[in-house]
Amino acid sequence: MRGGALLILCMVASSGGAIAQTNTDPAMMPAPGPPTQTLVDKGREQFHRTCAQCHGRNMVNSGTTSYDLRKFPTDQPDRFFNSVTNGKNSMPSFSGALDPGAIQWLWAYVSTRGGKEM
Ligand code: HEC
């Protein structure tokens, strides 16, 4: 039941544990190949919970202080994983907060921008 699941998500988000989402459901694990719409949607949700406060809603920001993610090169997934996991300068590390599956969804979402501004 989709409505119920959303309600639970909202409750988790407002309980202050928004960043620490662990998902052990195998159906939610990343699949090989091009990102599915489901992964992109999950990535978008995750992004707006944990990244948008610095990177802007829908990845829209001026790029002056936080990196403009719309321009992130789509052929560098390793760099994305590394930067999100370990942080970079003022960008915090998410290694304790996000599991690799969540970073995978984020990548699915960020890579839809195709390194282009829209
Ligand atoms: C506290 C603010 C903040 C938050 C929260 C944040 N970022 Fe960043 N991010 C930054 C800043 C600042 C930079 C620029 C770092 C630099 O290059 O000096 C950056 C850079 C990046 C880069 C580019 C790194 C590179 O390799 O050049 C990626 C990718 C990125 N962020 C992804 C994310 C994702 C995904 C999230 C959410 C999980 C996130 N960020 C959350 C501030 C933030």
Side-chain angles (χ1 to χ4, degrees), residues 44 46-63 65-70 109-110 113:
R44 183 183 294 110
Q46 184 71 61
F47 178 87
H48 288 100
R49 276 199 299 268
T50 48
C51 320
Q53 66 270 37
C54 293
H55 287 283
R57 286 201 72 79
N58 301 315
M59 294 185 256
V60 178
N61 78 8
S62 64
T65 40
S66 299
Y67 190 95
D68 184 345
L69 286 177
R70 292 171 296 174
Y109 171 60
V110 168
R113 299 308 286 252

Side-chain angles (χ1 to χ4, degrees), residues 19 46-55 61 63-69 72-73 76 78-85 87-94 97-98 102-103 106-107 109-110:
I19 293 182
Q46 184 71 61
F47 178 87
H48 288 100
R49 276 199 299 268
T50 48
C51 320
Q53 66 270 37
C54 293
H55 287 283
N61 78 8
T64 43
T65 40
S66 299
Y67 190 95
D68 184 345
L69 286 177
F72 193 88
Q76 295 181 18
D78 293 350
R79 173 177 155 196
F80 182 88
F81 274 72
N82 187 53
S83 298
V84 176
T85 306
K88 189 178 177 191
N89 302 319
S90 347
M91 157 92 179
S93 156
F94 284 89
L98 296 175
I103 300 178
L106 284 165
W107 174 241
Y109 171 60
V110 168

Side-chain angles (χ1 to χ4, degrees), residues 7-38:
L7 186 66
I8 291 166
L9 260 182
C10 293
M11 282 157 53
V12 171
S14 56
S15 69
I19 293 182
Q21 293 255 330
T22 315
N23 210 317
T24 48
D25 183 346
M28 301 296 186
M29 288 310 281
T36 63
Q37 190 57 44
T38 315

